[in-house]
Amino acid sequence: MAEKAAPPERRPVVTPTRVVAGFCLVAPFIAMLWVSSYARIEPTLIGIPFFYWYQMAWVLISTALTMVAYKLVQREQRARKGGAA
């Protein structure tokens, strides 16, 4: 009975695209954990204190950055599959 050779271990590849995607995913965490940067009332927006509207803005920004990261990684994976075939 012939033994099958184990496939070589695939290591993750760090590419500029993945670094940008990683930054897109980490940026919201840094922005929200740096509380002293937004722990204030002024400037208000339509009567809403800065503290609240800044956090709500990051909900939208985080969504956009997550979408950008997903699209970048997806595009890179498609390019790698196309190049390998």
Side-chain angles (χ1 to χ4, degrees):
M1 187 188 266
E3 288 185 33
K4 289 187 177 181
E9 192 174 316
R10 298 182 84 189
R11 294 182 134 172
V13 178
V14 177
T15 63
T17 302
R18 290 184 182 185
V19 170
V20 171
F23 176 76
C24 288
L25 296 174
V26 169
F29 288 102
I30 293 171
M32 290 291 93
L33 290 174
W34 186 19
V35 178
S36 63
S37 70
Y38 63 90
R40 53 194 157 113
I41 295 174
E42 296 293 327
T44 60
L45 179 69
I46 323 170
I48 302 170
F50 181 74
F51 181 81
Y52 295 113
W53 68 258
Y54 178 83
Q55 290 181 25
M56 292 309 296
W58 271 102
V59 170
L60 300 175
I61 295 167
S62 297
T63 302
L65 289 174
T66 301
M67 185 179 66
V68 167
Y70 174 76
K71 291 295 184 183
L72 286 172
V73 171
Q74 187 179 40
R75 184 178 67 183
E76 182 181 272
Q77 286 177 342
R78 273 197 310 255
R80 292 182 96 195
K81 281 183 182 179

